[in-house]
Amino acid sequence: MGATRERHTLGDRMLRKEDGRFVRGKGNYVDDVQLPGMLHSAVLRSPFAHARIESIDTSAALELEGVHAVITGADLEAQGLAWMPTLAGDTQAVLATDKVRFQGQEVAFVVADDRYIAQDALELIDVDYEPLGAVVDSRKALGEGAPVIRDDKEGKEDNFLFFWDAGDKEAAERAFQEAEVTVRREMFYPRIHPAPMETCGSVADYDVSTGQMTIHMTSQAPHAHRTLFAMVSGLGEHQIRIISPDIGGGFGNKVPIYPGYVCGAVASLVLGHPVKWMESRSENLMSTSFARDYHMVGEIAATKDGRILGVRSEILADHGAFNAHAQPGEEFPTGFFPIFTSCYDIPAAYAEATGVYSNKAPGGIAYRCSFRVTEAIYLMERTMDVLADELDMDPVELRRKNFIKKEQMPYHSVMGWEYDGGDYEGALQEALRIAGYEDLLAEQRKAREDGKIMGIGVSTFTEIVGAGPGKQCHIAGIEMFDSAELRLHPTGKAILKLGVKSQGQGHETTFAQIVAMELGIPAENIEVREGDTDNTPYGLGTYGSRSTPVCGAATSMVSRKVREKAKRIAAHMLEAAEDDLEWTGERFQVKGSPEQGKNMEEISFAAYTDVPEGEEAGLESVNYYDPPEMTYPFGAYLCVVEIDRGTGQVEVKRFIAVDDCGVRINPMVVDGQIHGGLAQGIGTALMEVIEFDEDGNHLNSSFMDYLMLTSMETPKYELGEFVTPSTHHPLGARGVAESPTVGSPAAVVNAVVDALSPYGVQHLDMPLTPDKVWRALRENGG
Amino acid sequence: MRIEVSVNGAPRAAEVEPRLLLVHFVREHLGLTGTHWGCDTSNCGACTVLLDGEPVKSCTLLTVRTDGHEVTTIEGLWSGTELTPVQEGFHQEHGLQCGFCTPGMIVTGTAFLERNPDPTEAEIREAISGNLCRCTGYENIIKSIRWAVEHPARSRESRVGSRE
Ligand code: FES
Ligand code: FES
């Protein structure tokens, strides 16, 4: 196939450079790291959702042959390490001291010769618990007599976490008073889990002789994690090296710092051996960060003919036992939920949220989502359909009536965002064309006559992705810029080092394509490195679709900086004035005499062999890019479902997705991202959920009961392409990987509700399991 | 217990605990880390290897059960720089993102094509339904296996990842 002999650049369907190691089984994931003298570990976890710890006896475990250490909360407390700060500014127990606050919470950490012995030792630890009442339903968390979960905080007498609001309450109130029609819909976005195929883990390797701590870990943000480790441990930041090797999927699961990482590092420090910590699947599903868990109310005020006058939203947010919410700063306790007016021209909007603690795992993180955009768009798109139903109007028509027009760009939303271009009507039109909407409607009429239960659902939306700007968005105070460092070698080959970290998004290919376009050298000749804090510039990492918007921009900018110097060298080589040179995309040439020119390969060589006077040798630069604004990818989705009357099983017959992520760096990779996101979004709508019984027992702690789409349930995706360049990005690109998880759940639910509407069903909460759908049909005579 | 097993064509003798799972034997004792581990309940297929040519989930099999048998892992499918059509298909059709499910998918797909050299799309979907992928949404995996059907000869000039 000889891909290496072609010259690929931005916009090409370039096959991925990273594939070679993965298809051979030569990837290097954390669990593949084996170091001499390495010990293994296991975590003892709480069987109770809420209980006081009376005593812990580790003596029998310590006596087991092959056990090196058993660490408890008391041991950590002696070092001031029993609690750690979360990314949301709260505290979280590393190992429980006073109480356990959710089922699966970390209680003790065993280090042993191998993982089997470590597991055996867990059985020998004796913990005496005094069970307490648990709160698992956020609606009861603030109720009379609810047990206080965070009594570790002085004076804390309830489970209240935060209140937040945004928008213009009075203006919204007026809109609702004056409206001809208002609708109100309560809905629940259930707790789900990112569940990457690789669980979380680390290998901490403390070198006693040098004082250096190297931690190989599943980290989506290695630089930020190094800073946090330094702040918590007291080690110098220069003595800590985080290496994030190949990551087997992240989706937000690998953004927080988990107790296992900290315990592994402590154990390595104490024992002087490398220590591996690797979660099992049930540990991953039970204790690492969940997503969503939002009770929401959506309200729209409109005219009789469907013009929206105002929207309101009320949220009850369950953050679990410790607030470990991923957010771009404490100023955003609901992340970017304020994007909820979405792609519609809405004159008045107001949202408020109350956050509470519960006896559930800490979170919630941004699962394939730019900080609660998923919840916001689901709320809006579901409420839009409720309004369409109330007005007896085609949901497509209602959306069209309210779209922000492309002539209104750059649009300033009433919630304070500046959009970067968009043609929502155009994208919807394209989705309808692919779907054959008129024919579909006819098919549905016919299906209904034949007694079939068929539904069509649409969802149109804009996201907001690519945090910074640094002045607005930060992690623990560190502004959310990102970085790229580019060096050209004498032979014209290059190395690009990034502050972000791929978890499967294909950075080794797509970022090389950006440099290729900027410098006119083939992407094949550019090696991309990420994830090692010793060898990459400081960056904030990959999540919230920020790699392309922020680090992609940094890559463009650093290439342009290199090109500036290259131009000076070319002028020297061509004995011409700099002003007389022009850049053709491939080389610098003398204006008016195209036969005189130098390409990047020739210039690189000269940078090391024939540097002009007053110029430093070498050809390299670094750029820290702070985006002036975010980017706003948008899409129009259409879903067709059919429901089996006998079983309630929902089958997704068709799924059409038209996404606009601006200029596409590699269309193959973009499509792949959309496929994957759709599978996760459809899974969310139909089957994924984490539930608890009243005592706080986790009911979905394995892949037997945490169901995800398999190849059997996934539809064939029908993708359409739409390109409106972003005005906020040097390449015109936006993030893309999260649009499908943001936009698709509402399309599926809208389709199912549409299918069931002849039976009087107006809403069903996700997941739309056969059981739930069957009941809804039965209760309504279907 | 002492076992003798052929792994990727090479005879191996080892002293193992009766409870040792095959996935840990190949990964930790033999250093063949291409076989992955993704769940506790035999649901994900990341650990798929061939036992006498049949795909099995190595997280569910005790190592001692392989005594006297042949085990093939992802590392045993290719030799030198040469890829199999299924491996090449995954590259050509963008059948992988994070790559974690990929060895299991390739092993499953390879064994499946041995039995059914010209499958329909529906048959491919069924064949890989015991392997979970969280990244790709499966569509490109199906295309990848189809690619192998259409390009059965080993592609000699394959240089994927060789970075010449
Ligand atoms: S690890 Fe074997 S099936 Fe999941
Ligand atoms: S490619 Fe990541 S799980 Fe399949």
Side-chain angles (χ1 to χ4, degrees):
Chain A
M1 39 155 244
T4 43
R5 263 162 273 128
E6 291 167 31
R7 296 169 60 86
H8 282 103
T9 188
L10 189 115
D12 290 342
R13 183 190 188 276
M14 179 183 181
L15 299 182
R16 296 201 325 171
K17 296 168 67 165
E18 46 268 80
D19 287 351
R21 61 182 186 274
F22 296 121
V23 298
R24 290 179 168 88
K26 292 289 180 188
N28 180 38
Y29 303 91
V30 163
D31 201 16
D32 302 343
V33 174
Q34 312 237 25
L35 301 176
M38 187 177 80
L39 303 175
H40 294 260
S41 67
V43 176
L44 182 73
R45 294 178 181 275
S46 166
F48 297 106
H50 200 192
R52 194 161 298 288
I53 296 178
E54 298 291 343
S55 65
I56 304 181
D57 181 358
T58 60
S59 53
L62 276 166
E63 273 163 31
L64 185 70
E65 198 182 323
V67 170
H68 291 251
V70 181
I71 301 173
T72 64
D75 300 328
L76 293 181
E77 201 159 42
Q79 308 297 321
L81 288 172
W83 292 79
M84 63 178 182
T86 68
L87 293 176
D90 195 1
T91 50
Q92 174 174 356
V94 177
L95 292 175
T97 47
D98 52 340
K99 288 201 305 189
V100 286
R101 293 174 169 83
F102 67 93
Q103 189 186 49
Q105 189 182 334
E106 300 78 1
V107 174
F109 190 80
V110 173
V111 186
D113 282 336
D114 70 37
R115 59 177 90 218
Y116 288 71
I117 298 172
Q119 288 292 333
D120 289 343
L122 295 186
E123 307 280 322
L124 300 173
I125 301 174
D126 193 13
V127 186
D128 190 10
Y129 293 102
E130 183 204 320
L132 303 166
V135 194
V136 287
D137 182 343
S138 54
R139 291 165 299 185
K140 295 182 184 156
L142 298 179
E144 200 58 31
V148 179
I149 299 164
R150 295 303 301 275
D151 49 358
D152 56 295
K153 292 172 179 283
E154 223 178 281
K156 187 84 184 134
E157 281 171 5
D158 56 27
N159 296 314
F160 175 81
L161 179 56
F162 68 81
F163 175 81
W164 162 93
D165 70 345
D168 187 335
K169 194 172 184 175
E170 282 78 42
E173 183 60 42
R174 271 197 305 280
F176 276 82
Q177 273 163 11
E178 288 159 17
E180 292 162 333
V181 183
T182 63
V183 290
R184 180 177 196 277
R185 180 73 250 167
E186 286 181 24
M187 61 189 87
F188 178 47
Y189 205 130
R191 178 175 274 238
I192 53 176
H193 198 281
M197 292 314 296
E198 177 203 33
T199 57
C200 301
S202 60
V203 177
D205 180 15
Y206 181 67
D207 186 332
V208 186
S209 59
T210 62
Q212 284 285 323
M213 171 70 86
T214 304
I215 307 176
H216 306 259
M217 68 185 261
T218 46
S219 169
Q220 294 180 224
H223 292 278
H225 284 165
R226 185 188 60 189
T227 303
L228 292 168
F229 262 108
M231 281 155 61
V232 172
S233 70
L235 288 172
E237 198 168 357
H238 62 302
Q239 292 169 308
I240 303 174
R241 176 182 186 185
I242 306 276
I243 301 176
S244 186
D246 289 326
I247 298 186
F251 316 116
N253 188 216
K254 292 162 181 172
V255 172
I257 292 197
Y258 296 120
Y261 299 134
V262 178
C263 291
V266 169
S268 181
L269 259 169
V270 172
L271 298 169
H273 281 267
V275 174
K276 179 182 280 186
W277 166 67
M278 204 70 221
E279 286 176 337
S280 68
R281 175 56 58 191
S282 64
E283 290 180 290
N284 179 253
L285 287 169
M286 288 178 78
S287 71
T288 58
S289 50
F290 72 93
R292 327 297 189 228
D293 212 342
Y294 258 31
H295 287 278
M296 302 186 280
V297 179
E299 289 182 284
I300 305 183
T303 61
K304 273 200 305 258
D305 61 353
R307 273 294 312 169
I308 298 177
L309 304 172
V311 292
R312 274 196 305 222
S313 168
E314 205 184 309
I315 303 161
L316 178 61
D318 187 333
H319 283 233
F322 307 104
N323 184 21
H325 181 192
Q327 57 195 2
E330 283 154 43
E331 303 83 339
F332 296 96
T334 60
F336 294 148
F337 190 90
I339 192 67
F340 78 125
T341 58
S342 187
C343 51
Y344 307 113
D345 190 9
I346 298 177
Y350 173 72
E352 63 174 51
T354 303
V356 298
Y357 288 114
S358 71
N359 288 114
K360 303 195 283 195
I365 47 88
Y367 163 32
R368 204 166 186 154
C369 163
S370 183
F371 314 109
R372 306 287 190 185
V373 173
T374 311
E375 290 90 324
I377 296 306
Y378 178 74
L379 173 99
M380 192 64 204
E381 287 310 291
R382 210 50 282 289
T383 315
M384 283 298 272
D385 265 34
V386 172
L387 177 63
D389 186 42
E390 176 72 25
L391 297 170
D392 201 15
M393 186 182 274
D394 182 343
V396 164
E397 212 31 60
L398 177 64
R399 284 170 172 81
R400 278 198 168 129
K401 256 201 176 126
N402 289 287
F403 279 145
I404 299 160
K405 309 260 174 304
K406 69 175 183 230
E407 301 76 47
Q408 289 173 272
M409 294 292 169
Y411 179 80
H412 291 262
S413 89
V414 69
M415 295 301 289
W417 308 114
E418 184 195 305
Y419 293 13
D420 65 341
D423 178 1
Y424 309 121
E425 167 72 34
L428 176 60
Q429 198 48 45
E430 178 62 3
L432 297 177
R433 186 192 65 75
I434 297 170
Y437 190 57
E438 291 307 318
D439 293 345
L440 257 184
L441 290 175
E443 189 186 326
Q444 186 183 36
R445 280 191 295 273
K446 168 95 176 48
R448 284 186 172 160
E449 279 164 25
D450 297 347
K452 289 202 191 129
I453 312 177
M454 173 185 168
I456 304 167
V458 292
S459 154
T460 53
F461 60 93
T462 182
E463 277 194 281
I464 173 170
V465 310
K471 287 285 159 283
Q472 233 177 332
C473 303
H474 63 92
I475 287 185
I478 302 163
E479 298 189 357
M480 292 180 75
F481 56 82
D482 228 292
S483 62
E485 185 185 313
L486 177 65
R487 177 175 307 142
L488 269 65
H489 308 310
T491 55
K493 311 281 198 278
I495 184 161
L496 175 72
K497 301 174 173 188
L498 306 175
V500 291
K501 172 64 199 164
S502 173
Q503 309 121 44
Q505 292 92 335
H507 292 178
E508 288 169 49
T509 306
T510 53
F511 281 75
Q513 289 181 269
I514 296 175
V515 176
M517 192 276 285
E518 295 283 1
L519 295 185
I521 54 179
E524 286 73 6
N525 291 349
I526 302 152
E527 191 70 23
V528 177
R529 293 285 157 80
E530 309 175 304
D532 179 347
T533 55
D534 268 11
N535 287 310
T536 52
Y538 202 104
L540 276 288
T542 293
Y543 44 84
S545 283
R546 63 188 300 282
S547 293
T548 298
V550 191
C551 196
T555 301
S556 255
M557 301 319 267
V558 77
S559 304
R560 292 174 195 182
K561 278 166 95 173
V562 163
R563 207 167 66 201
E564 280 304 304
K565 178 170 180 182
K567 187 177 189 183
R568 297 197 295 274
I569 299 173
H572 163 75
M573 293 168 81
L574 294 164
E575 295 176 2
E578 255 188 85
D579 287 348
D580 291 337
L581 295 188
E582 60 186 0
W583 174 249
T584 67
E586 298 265 317
R587 56 185 212 146
F588 282 109
Q589 64 187 28
V590 179
K591 286 178 196 158
S593 36
E595 69 291 346
Q596 287 191 63
K598 294 288 173 195
N599 66 22
M600 222 27 97
E601 232 165 77
E602 295 163 312
I603 298 169
S604 299
F605 193 69
Y608 295 87
T609 56
D610 178 21
V611 198
E613 230 181 88
E615 199 74 69
E616 286 177 27
L619 193 52
E620 64 182 71
S621 193
V622 59
N623 178 264
Y624 289 81
Y625 186 82
D626 182 5
E629 294 285 347
M630 281 176 264
T631 71
Y632 296 74
F634 60 94
Y637 292 177
L638 190 147
C639 175
V640 182
V641 299
E642 204 174 302
I643 295 170
D644 184 309
R645 192 183 299 278
T647 62
Q649 181 84 39
V650 176
E651 190 189 344
V652 176
K653 297 295 253 187
R654 293 181 69 189
F655 202 102
I656 293 110
V658 176
D659 275 290
D660 190 326
C661 57
V663 170
R664 297 183 170 210
I665 295 163
N666 181 328
M668 175 191 82
V669 169
V670 169
D671 285 354
Q673 291 296 312
I674 295 169
H675 289 172
L678 289 177
Q680 289 179 326
I682 296 169
T684 299
L686 297 183
M687 57 185 78
E688 297 189 25
V689 68
I690 287 185
E691 290 176 310
F692 297 82
D693 70 11
E694 275 196 6
D695 297 327
N697 293 307
H698 193 292
L699 302 178
N700 308 83
S701 62
S702 79
F703 281 164
M704 305 272 259
D705 12 57
Y706 191 79
L707 303 181
M708 309 190 297
L709 288 196
T710 74
S711 53
M712 299 301 281
E713 296 88 24
T714 9
K716 221 175 150 54
Y717 315 104
E718 299 170 67
L719 307 189
E721 189 177 327
F722 211 73
V723 178
T724 316
S726 166
T727 52
H728 291 168
H729 190 276
L731 294 170
R734 304 186 175 92
V736 69
E738 299 173 337
S739 294
T741 24
V742 166
S744 61
V748 178
V749 177
N750 286 345
V752 171
V753 172
D754 178 53
L756 298 176
S757 61
Y759 307 95
V761 175
Q762 290 179 318
H763 177 73
L764 284 178
D765 279 329
M766 299 184 286
L768 302 173
T769 54
D771 156 69
K772 195 184 281 177
V773 172
W774 183 81
R775 260 172 232 279
L777 263 172
R778 285 270 298 209
E779 279 159 19
N780 295 282
Chain B
M1 286 175 73
R2 192 178 160 74
I3 57 157
E4 283 177 26
V5 50
S6 152
V7 180
N8 298 334
R12 300 276 196 158
E15 193 63 45
V16 299
E17 267 194 87
R19 63 174 174 173
L20 182 70
L21 295 172
L22 180 60
V23 65
H24 293 138
F25 178 66
V26 297
R27 287 181 50 80
E28 286 165 13
H29 294 232
L30 305 181
L32 297 169
T33 54
T35 301
H36 297 150
W37 172 90
C39 70
D40 318 324
T41 46
S42 301
N43 287 95
C44 77
C47 62
T48 309
V49 300
L50 300 180
L51 182 66
D52 300 330
E54 284 298 312
V56 292
K57 292 183 171 171
S58 65
C59 69
T60 322
L61 202 68
L62 295 172
T63 309
V64 290
R65 288 265 324 272
T66 64
D67 187 26
H69 293 271
E70 273 177 30
V71 172
T72 310
T73 68
I74 180 76
E75 291 91 343
L77 292 185
W78 57 281
S79 59
T81 58
E82 215 170 86
L83 294 181
T84 66
V86 178
Q87 287 174 313
E88 187 70 44
F90 272 72
H91 176 56
Q92 293 290 336
E93 295 291 350
H94 189 29
L96 66 148
Q97 289 179 24
C98 79
F100 199 77
C101 70
T102 311
M105 288 284 184
I106 290 176
V107 168
T108 302
T110 303
F112 168 64
L113 291 185
E114 294 274 314
R115 284 196 307 275
N116 185 350
D118 190 13
T120 63
E121 185 195 313
E123 288 169 332
I124 299 176
R125 280 188 188 269
E126 202 181 328
I128 59 165
S129 61
N131 292 66
L132 293 174
C133 174
R134 194 60 159 160
C135 301
T136 65
Y138 304 104
E139 179 142 325
N140 286 349
I141 293 181
I142 293 155
K143 281 192 194 149
S144 302
I145 294 174
R146 216 30 244 179
W147 190 95
V149 172
E150 274 140 32
H151 302 79
R154 286 192 169 216
S155 120
R156 293 227 148 254
E157 37 167 353
S158 169
R159 279 188 182 75
V160 44
S162 66
R163 309 269 168 97
E164 65 170 356

